[in-house]
Amino acid sequence: FGIPAMATRWVPWKVAGPRARGRRSPGLPFLALSLVLLLGTLSQAAFLPAPRAPDATPWNLAAGAGAIATGLGLAQGVAAQEGLGLADQDLTPETFRPVCPASDGLYGFGKAAADGLLGSEGAEYRPLAIEALLRVRLEVCVLESFVYEAVVPFVQRKGLGWILPLHETIDTVIAGTVFAIAVNFILFGTTKILSVLGIYHDFLVGAPLRLIGFAILPEQKPKETPFIQINWPGTPQEKEEDEEEKEPPPPPAAPLAVFGGVCKGYGIFAGVLKDFLEGVDTFAGRYLAFFSILYIAFKWAHFRLFNDFPPF
């Protein structure tokens, strides 16, 4: 159907050099033709009766193989035209496999907890729990993969001088712009998942541990005085009641005191972590886009308008 002939004409076009300048790239027509052929094959297979398998006709085989071959050739051709290296060509949806050990550990823990809670009686609800855990794992893996596979290697190569240098270059401007835009898309969804996880962690683990810790090691809080106290004319001034000094309870045994201190410390940490994650989520949802746009505008203005300031 003309696909091999078109592909053979396309290969010399890539290496034609100066003659090919000004010609229109055949990438979009090739991609459109591939999608049409692929959709035609899928539609024929989708509307066949259920007991009957799709017929392996030469049209279906040729169309599917042609679409796949043309799509792969188009991706490689565009990469070659843009002058990408071999390392950059490997970063495709087919070859990119993010490594997320923390997300995998979270998924394994949640799966084990769900299996233990559901048991044999709730086996029919297990697929729903697994689907939910997989999506939580995916959202956390997005942030983890972005940090360890994109941010850390880039900082190791370029350092941190591109954030706000004294004199901007086109490299520092592009680096800051790409990083600011990417952080918006990465943090906007991931911080919500992290804040929800922090709330559940504090509710299920932190709050019970705080109750146990403060029950074993209680703390005496001083009486709070009001910040503003109004004494209306004609009303007698309230006299401060002498508080009876309560004798502190006897200290618990050493093992119990250690256990109470651990429970109290982790419970307080869980509460602080929950508040921190909620604050990050609020900042990412309300103010991150504004500050990112302000940061990008400042870098481009610095580069275009007053890049010579300061004069050193």
Side-chain angles (χ1 to χ4, degrees):
F1 297 93
I3 296 176
M6 295 172 67
T8 54
R9 287 202 305 269
W10 179 43
V11 173
W13 179 84
K14 295 190 301 179
V15 296
R19 298 181 181 178
R21 296 179 182 176
R23 294 185 183 180
R24 188 176 179 181
S25 174
L28 291 180
F30 272 59
L31 182 59
L33 180 59
S34 303
L35 291 177
V36 169
L37 295 176
L38 184 59
L39 290 177
T41 305
L42 295 178
S43 62
Q44 290 180 6
F47 288 99
L48 287 174
R52 182 182 174 186
D55 297 332
T57 61
W59 161 254
N60 291 337
L61 296 178
I68 295 174
T70 307
L72 294 177
L74 176 64
Q76 295 177 358
V78 173
Q81 291 174 9
E82 294 178 354
L84 296 178
L86 294 177
D88 294 333
Q89 288 184 2
D90 294 336
L91 295 179
T92 61
E94 291 79 11
T95 59
F96 179 64
R97 295 293 182 269
V99 180
C100 307
S103 305
D104 295 337
L106 178 64
Y107 169 74
F109 175 78
K111 182 180 178 182
D115 292 339
L117 292 175
L118 294 177
S120 59
E121 298 179 354
E124 58 179 341
Y125 301 103
R126 186 175 180 274
L128 180 62
I130 297 300
E131 289 289 337
L133 290 173
L134 283 174
R135 275 144 183 82
V136 172
R137 185 258 179 197
L138 178 62
E139 291 291 339
V140 179
C141 182
V142 169
L143 178 62
E144 186 179 4
S145 175
F146 177 70
V147 170
Y148 289 110
E149 299 180 17
V151 176
V152 173
F154 183 79
V155 171
Q156 289 177 351
R157 293 195 307 267
K158 300 292 185 178
L160 298 176
W162 52 270
I163 298 178
L164 286 175
L166 294 178
H167 300 284
E168 296 280 359
T169 62
I170 189 63
D171 293 334
T172 59
V173 172
I174 293 178
T177 302
V178 173
F179 183 80
I181 295 175
V183 165
N184 278 269
F185 290 97
I186 298 298
L187 293 184
F188 187 78
T190 308
T191 52
K192 297 186 181 300
I193 297 294
L194 294 179
S195 64
V196 173
L197 291 177
I199 292 173
Y200 275 101
H201 174 258
D202 182 64
F203 178 75
L204 297 175
V205 180
L209 290 181
R210 284 195 298 271
L211 291 176
I212 296 174
F214 282 100
I216 297 176
L217 300 175
E219 295 181 359
Q220 294 183 358
K221 296 183 179 180
K223 184 179 179 181
E224 297 181 358
T225 57
F227 183 73
I228 299 177
Q229 184 173 0
I230 301 176
N231 297 322
W232 299 99
T235 57
Q237 186 176 3
E238 295 181 359
K239 297 181 180 180
E240 298 181 357
E241 298 179 357
D242 296 334
E243 297 182 356
E244 298 180 358
E245 296 182 358
K246 298 180 180 180
E247 297 181 357
L256 187 60
V258 172
F259 176 73
V262 171
C263 293
K264 182 190 291 188
Y266 192 84
I268 294 174
F269 167 76
V272 173
L273 180 63
K274 176 185 73 71
D275 296 337
F276 172 75
L277 293 177
E278 288 181 345
V280 172
D281 179 43
T282 302
F283 174 79
R286 294 184 180 181
Y287 310 110
L288 182 60
F290 170 75
F291 282 104
S292 299
I293 295 173
L294 188 65
Y295 170 74
I296 295 172
F298 174 78
K299 288 186 74 69
W300 282 99
H302 185 194
F303 176 66
R304 292 293 184 181
L305 302 178
F306 49 94
N307 199 20
D308 296 334
F309 181 82
F312 52 83

